[in-house]
Amino acid sequence: MDSLLKGLFGGSKPATPSPADDGDFADFAGAPDPVPVQSFNPMTASPVQDSAAIPTSSTGIVYTKWYRVWERTSPKDFYSEMVILPFVLILVALHVWGRQKNKRKARSWIAAHAPILKNEFAVVGFGDRDSPSLEEVESQGLAKASASEKLTIPAELLKEKTAQEYTTYATGRQNVAFVDIKITLFKRYNPFTLFLEYALSTFFDSIKAPVERMEATAYAFDGKEKDLLAAPSQREQSNLEERLKGLQSSYDNCVWAVVNKDNMRRLREDRYDISLTVTKDHPKLPLWASVMSESAEVTEALLTPELIKLVEEAGDAAFEYLIITDQPIDKPRTLDQTIPRKRLTLSLHLPSSTAPTAYAHTLPLFSYFLRLPDTLVATAHFRPEVGRKIRATREDESRKLRKVDEEEKAEERKLEGDRKKKVEREAKLKGLSAAEQNRYLEKERERERKKSEKKMAKRG
C-alpha cells in the first residue's frame, strides 16, 4: 500500500537495471554507433582519401558500385574465357567463309549456264509479276495496267535452299514442261561434320562420301499440254488447243541410261526404275561408262554419236549419269504410282575451280540434255515387239500390286464382317435371360469344338 501511494503522488522510483546487465545483449553493449561512409568524389578527393573512402572486407575484396567492374576483377578471373573465345572466333570465321565459298561457287555455275538456259527457255529463275494498284487500274484500265512492264519482278536466277543446296527453275519450251536444277555443295560451313562424313564413308559402304554435284531433271509434256498449260480465259484456251493440234510431244515408254561405272551399284540399289534395266558395255563408249537399258533397240536409237562424243568430253571426273525414265524412283506401293511420268535426269560433278572456263568441258553435254526431249519425240518410237516387252515388265509389277491390293481389301472385308458378327452377337445376348445366354454360349463352344475336330481330321 505504501509503495502504491508513493507511485501515485511522486514518490522515488526504483532503480532500473542497466542494459549491460542483460546477458542477451552483452555482445553489443560496447559497439560504437555506426558512422556513414563519406561520398567519394573523384574530382576533389586525393588518392589517399580515395583509398580510405572505399570500403573493403576482411578478405580484401573491394566493394564498389555495380558498374565499376574493373575495380573488383582482374585478368585471372577470365582465363577460361580467354581459352574458349579463340575457338569460338575460329568457328564463326569458318562458318562465314564456308557459306560465302558455297555462294560464290553456285553463282559461278549459274553465270556459266544461264546463257544456255535463257536460249532454250522463255522463263529462267524465280521471277514473277506483281498485281497493279487501284489507282493504276482506275487511270489506265485493267488490261493496260496488268500488261505494264513495271509490274515485272526481276528474276532470281538462283535460290539458296540451304547453306549447301541451291536450286533454279526453267520453263517455257516445246516438249518440256519445266526443268528443276539442284546444286549440292560441301558443308564447308561445318568442317567437323564434313570431316566426319568423309571418315565414316571410308569404313561403311552404306554411308556415301560427300560430293559436289549438279542434278537437272526435265519433265516432258508427253502429249499432256492441255492439262499442264493453263489459259486465263476461254478464248485463250481455245487458241491454245488450236495451236496444239499439230504438235506431237509424246514418245514411247522406256528406261534407259548412260552411267559412270562408279555409280552403277548405287543407282541399282537406290532407284527402282534402274533396277528394271540390264547393264551392257558398249564398244563406242569409254571404258569407264556403260549403258543400262531395257532393250538393245532402245540403245541403238538413243545412243547417238553426238552423245558418245559429249560423254567423252565431260570425262570420268565430271560425268555421273544421264537417265531417261518413265518409272518412279522409289518402288511403287499402289497402282497409281505405276502410271508413267516421263522425265530426264543429268548428274554432273562440279569442278573445284570457280573460274568461268571450269565448265567448258560439260557445257556441251548440258546443252544436249536440254534439247534431248526433241530427239526423243522424233526418234523414240520403237517396234511393237519392243513395246510389248517393255509393257510386260510394267504389267508384271502392276499385277503384283493388284494382287496385294486385293488381299488387303479381302482382309478388310473379313475384319468388317467379323466386327458386324460381334455386334449382332452382343445385341442378341443382351435380349436373352441368364439361362438362355448359357445355352447359347454352350452351343457356340460345341460348334467351335466340332470345327477344330474337323481340322485335325483333315491334317491327319
Side-chain angles (χ1 to χ4, degrees):
M1 190 65 180
D2 185 30
S3 61
L4 179 61
L5 293 173
K6 286 180 181 181
L8 292 173
F9 296 103
S12 62
K13 297 181 180 179
T16 58
S18 174
D21 296 339
D22 193 350
D24 294 337
F25 297 95
D27 296 337
F28 304 97
D33 295 335
V35 179
V37 179
Q38 296 179 357
S39 61
F40 173 70
N41 189 350
M43 301 299 295
T44 59
S46 63
V48 177
Q49 294 173 342
D50 185 12
S51 60
I54 299 176
T56 60
S57 67
S58 60
T59 58
I61 300 176
V62 179
Y63 293 99
T64 61
K65 291 205 178 278
W66 63 270
Y67 58 85
R68 302 177 71 85
V69 181
W70 60 91
E71 293 181 354
R72 55 180 181 272
T73 58
S74 61
K76 67 180 180 180
D77 298 326
F78 300 96
Y79 283 163
S80 59
E81 287 80 359
M82 292 179 186
V83 174
I84 296 172
L85 187 60
F87 291 98
V88 173
L89 293 176
I90 291 172
L91 288 176
V92 172
L94 286 174
H95 183 83
V96 173
W97 173 83
R99 290 184 68 100
Q100 294 299 323
K101 176 69 175 178
N102 283 354
K103 189 173 292 187
R104 286 196 301 270
K105 193 153 193 176
R107 286 176 176 174
S108 68
W109 185 92
I110 195 64
H113 294 77
I116 298 176
L117 289 169
K118 291 180 178 179
N119 187 43
E120 294 290 338
F121 294 90
V123 178
V124 179
F126 300 93
D128 202 350
R129 289 185 62 82
D130 200 358
S131 58
S133 63
L134 181 61
E135 293 79 4
E136 293 175 343
V137 173
E138 292 177 349
S139 61
Q140 304 176 13
L142 180 59
K144 189 174 181 181
S146 301
S148 176
E149 293 294 331
K150 296 179 180 180
L151 301 177
T152 303
I153 300 174
E156 184 183 2
L157 293 180
L158 206 62
K159 182 177 288 186
E160 182 180 357
K161 196 172 182 181
T162 63
Q164 68 167 132
E165 185 177 325
Y166 290 78
T167 60
T168 188
Y169 168 87
T171 186
R173 189 186 190 280
Q174 186 177 344
N175 299 326
V176 181
F178 57 91
V179 174
D180 280 334
I181 300 174
K182 181 175 71 173
I183 301 172
T184 306
L185 304 171
F186 289 143
K187 295 181 179 178
R188 292 183 175 88
Y189 56 90
N190 194 343
F192 298 104
T193 304
L194 183 61
F195 173 77
L196 184 63
E197 289 178 351
Y198 268 117
L200 293 177
S201 64
T202 57
F203 297 104
F204 303 98
D205 293 337
S206 59
I207 300 177
K208 305 179 183 68
V211 295
E212 293 188 307
R213 65 163 55 93
M214 181 281 307
E215 188 176 62
T217 303
Y219 296 84
F221 272 124
D222 193 27
K224 301 176 182 177
E225 288 88 347
K226 295 179 182 179
D227 301 329
L228 298 175
L229 297 177
S233 64
Q234 185 65 30
R235 181 180 178 183
E236 293 189 9
Q237 180 69 29
S238 60
N239 292 337
L240 177 63
E241 293 176 358
E242 188 68 26
R243 292 198 302 269
L244 294 176
K245 280 183 179 179
L247 297 179
Q248 178 66 26
S249 61
S250 61
Y251 56 91
D252 291 350
N253 298 333
C254 65
V255 178
W256 183 83
V258 180
V259 183
N260 191 317
K261 290 182 178 179
D262 295 338
N263 300 288
M264 282 170 46
R265 180 180 175 185
R266 175 175 66 86
L267 289 174
R268 192 172 290 279
E269 292 175 353
D270 295 348
R271 296 183 61 124
Y272 163 77
D273 52 357
I274 295 299
S275 67
L276 302 176
T277 63
V278 178
T279 305
K280 288 186 179 180
D281 290 336
H282 198 279
K284 296 183 180 180
L285 283 173
L287 296 176
W288 48 265
S290 183
V291 174
M292 306 180 79
S293 176
E294 292 183 284
S295 173
E297 184 172 328
V298 177
T299 301
E300 292 177 4
L302 301 182
L303 189 62
T304 61
E306 183 183 4
L307 178 59
I308 295 172
K309 180 182 177 182
L310 295 176
V311 170
E312 290 178 353
E313 289 180 0
D316 183 17
F319 181 78
E320 279 198 306
Y321 53 82
L322 171 64
I323 299 174
I324 301 170
T325 181
D326 68 314
Q327 294 297 297
I329 296 177
D330 299 324
K331 187 177 178 65
R333 304 295 180 186
T334 61
L335 289 172
D336 292 338
Q337 295 177 355
T338 60
I339 299 174
R341 295 176 176 86
K342 296 176 183 177
R343 59 199 183 279
L344 300 81
T345 304
L346 173 67
S347 180
L348 299 172
H349 284 162
L350 298 180
S352 57
S353 174
T354 57
T357 58
Y359 301 97
H361 60 293
T362 58
L363 278 173
L365 180 59
F366 182 76
S367 179
Y368 179 87
F369 164 77
L370 298 179
R371 299 191 308 270
L372 185 56
D374 303 337
T375 304
L376 293 175
V377 172
T379 61
H381 301 282
F382 313 116
R383 292 183 299 113
E385 294 80 2
V386 178
R388 282 195 295 269
K389 179 182 177 182
I390 293 174
R391 282 195 301 272
T393 305
R394 288 146 176 73
E395 288 173 358
D396 288 341
E397 188 63 31
S398 299
R399 196 177 300 110
K400 294 177 184 177
L401 292 174
R402 195 176 293 109
K403 183 180 179 181
V404 172
D405 186 52
E406 290 175 356
E407 291 176 354
E408 290 178 353
K409 289 181 179 178
E411 184 68 21
E412 290 177 0
R413 287 193 298 269
K414 183 177 180 298
L415 293 174
E416 183 66 20
D418 294 342
R419 188 185 66 82
K420 289 181 178 179
K421 288 180 180 179
K422 184 178 179 181
V423 172
E424 292 174 358
R425 176 179 176 273
E426 291 177 353
K428 188 174 182 179
L429 286 173
K430 285 181 180 179
L432 300 176
S433 62
E436 292 173 341
Q437 287 181 3
N438 290 332
R439 287 195 297 270
Y440 183 85
L441 295 175
E442 184 64 28
K443 289 180 180 179
E444 276 190 345
R445 285 192 291 268
E446 184 66 21
R447 284 195 296 269
E448 291 294 332
R449 185 180 62 79
K450 290 181 179 180
K451 286 182 181 179
S452 60
E453 288 177 355
K454 288 181 179 179
K455 288 182 180 179
M456 294 295 292
K458 288 180 180 180
R459 289 178 183 176

